[in-house]
Amino acid sequence: MNNRSRNSSLIRKKKRRRRVFFFIFLPIFMLTLSGLGYGAYLYTKAADVLGLSKVELSRGDQSAKRFKKVDPKHDNISMLIMGVDDSKTRDQGKATRTDALILATFNKDDKTVKMVSIPRDSYVYIPAEEKRDKITHAHVYGGEEGTIETVEEMFDIPVDYFVKLNFDAFIDVVEALGGIKVDVPVEFTEQNSKDTGDAIHLKKGVQELNGEEALALARTRKIDNDIERGKRQQLVLKAIIDKAISAGSLTKYGDVMEALGDNITTNMEFGELLSLYDYATKGIDIESLTMEGEDAYIDDVYYYQLDEQKLIELSSMFKSHLALSSLSSDRSDGTESEDTESNY
C-alpha cells in the first residue's frame, strides 16, 4: 500500500448552517398555517409529492438498531441525505453511485441538528460487498439500503430516514427559482449533467448561475479535493436557501415542488416531515461537521482514509445527540454497555 498523505482540516463546527431540505419546504408550511388559497394549494401539492416519492425499505419501517419505530415529533431521529449521479441521460437505478452523502441527527429537546458530509471516496466496510471499498459504491451494490447499512456500520447508530435526490432535481430546483447568485471562489471548467466535457466555464467572482452552472460548481472535483468540494456544495446550498426564502420566490414554490416530485425518493411520510417544522419554530440550530482523514492509494486506487479516532469521536457525538447508549461492537475490552435508550 502506497500512502500519499495530506492532512485535512480538523472537525469544523459551523453554527446555524441552514440546509435546502428544510427551507424549500418550511416556508411552504408557514404559508399553509393560514389555511388560505395559495398556501392550501402548496400544502396539497407538497403532500402529493411526498406521497408519490415514498418508498418502503425491505427492512420495514425501522432500523435494525432500533427496538421500535421512531416518531420525529416525540423522538430523536437521524436522516441520511443522498445525492446520486443518475439523471435522464443516464441509466437510472442501475449501478448509480452516491455523489454526496450527508448524515444528520435531530434532538427533540433542544431542537438542534448535527450534520456531517461524508466524502464519497471514504474507505469503509460495505456490508453489501462484504469488504472495504469507497462508500460511493455502496449504492451500486445495495441501493438506498446498502448505503444506509454502510453508514450505520460506520457510525454505529441507526439511520431512521433517508432522502435521495438526483442531478435533475438539483438543476430543476435552481431553474424553478430563476437561478441563484453565488460568489464563485475559483475559475474552473467542468462537464455538464449530460457528461459533455468542458461545457461549463465559470470565472471567479459574484455571478448569477443557472441550474447546470450551479451543479457544476457543487460537483467539480478535479481542481482540489473532497473537503473543498464539500465547502462549495455548502456555498451553493446557501445560495439556494437564500433564494428560496426570499419574498420574490413565493410564487415559484409550485414549480419547485414539481422539480422535486420527479426526482426525489424517501421513506418519510408527509406527517413525519411536517413534524420537523417544530425545529424551525424554535429557531433552528444546525451544526455542520467535517470528517478528518488523509489521501491514500491502495493498489494504485485513490481512497480517502478516515481517521479512525476522529470517526469514533463523531460516533460518540451522534450517539449523545440522539441520547443513545455508547454500545459498540468495536470496544477494545470486548464488553458491551448496559446503558440503553428505549428506542435503541
Side-chain angles (χ1 to χ4, degrees), residues 31-82:
L31 285 175
T32 64
L33 294 180
S34 65
L36 300 177
Y38 189 57
Y41 159 74
L42 289 175
Y43 181 95
T44 301
K45 195 169 189 66
D48 289 343
V49 166
L50 263 294
L52 293 173
S53 303
K54 174 75 163 54
V55 297
E56 297 290 342
L57 298 176
S58 63
R59 72 179 192 183
D61 58 4
Q62 70 183 67
S63 167
K65 289 182 174 290
R66 294 283 195 185
F67 287 136
K68 65 178 182 179
K69 177 176 168 54
V70 293
D71 180 350
K73 192 169 184 64
H74 304 292
D75 299 310
N76 303 323
I77 65 164
S78 62
M79 180 186 298
L80 184 63
I81 302 172
M82 310 178 196

Side-chain angles (χ1 to χ4, degrees), residues 224-237:
D224 38 49
N225 55 53
D226 266 348
I227 300 300
E228 294 303 315
R229 183 172 181 256
K231 294 177 184 178
R232 287 192 294 274
Q233 290 174 347
Q234 293 177 0
L235 185 69
V236 172
L237 287 174

